[in-house]
Amino acid sequence: PKGAKACTTRPNLADLWQVKGKITSTSTAVLDFSLKGGPDSLLATYDGGKIVFPDGNTWKKIAEQKERRPKDTSTLSDGPSFRERDDDE
């Protein structure tokens, strides 16, 4: 649900998205949120088991809950080996 700190319901397939990035050290990574309208090179740090963002938000890995996976995952994949963007030339 919108504003919730963790997802509690099964997501729709159309709601799934992915963040790409590059690990730059044992505690930092540069992440690309541009496909969701965010920055394309956001520096995040890993601290205390959490990914910490510059604005103070954190992501903590939680145990997978298979019952929350979309019912139809037949079209999911790791995606193409390259990424097309609207602003690519």
Side-chain angles (χ1 to χ4, degrees):
K2 188 171 184 155
K5 294 199 181 242
C7 299
T8 57
T9 58
R10 183 184 299 263
N12 295 316
L13 189 57
D15 293 334
L16 299 179
W17 55 281
Q18 207 176 49
V19 175
K20 301 277 184 170
K22 181 177 181 178
I23 296 171
T24 54
S25 77
T26 58
S27 62
T28 60
V30 177
L31 304 176
D32 182 354
F33 284 90
S34 62
L35 293 177
K36 289 293 288 180
D40 63 358
S41 58
L42 182 68
L43 180 65
T45 58
Y46 184 75
D47 184 34
K50 298 177 185 176
I51 299 172
V52 182
F53 296 96
D55 65 0
N57 280 322
T58 60
W59 286 0
K60 180 180 178 184
K61 185 173 182 173
I62 58 173
E64 180 179 7
Q65 299 172 358
K66 292 185 181 195
E67 69 277 0
R68 288 199 52 254
R69 288 183 180 175
K71 289 180 182 178
D72 177 13
T73 59
S74 62
T75 61
L76 293 182
S77 73
D78 289 335
S81 59
F82 65 94
R83 178 177 63 100
E84 293 185 34
R85 291 177 27 178
D86 291 341
D87 60 351
D88 283 346
E89 303 219 3

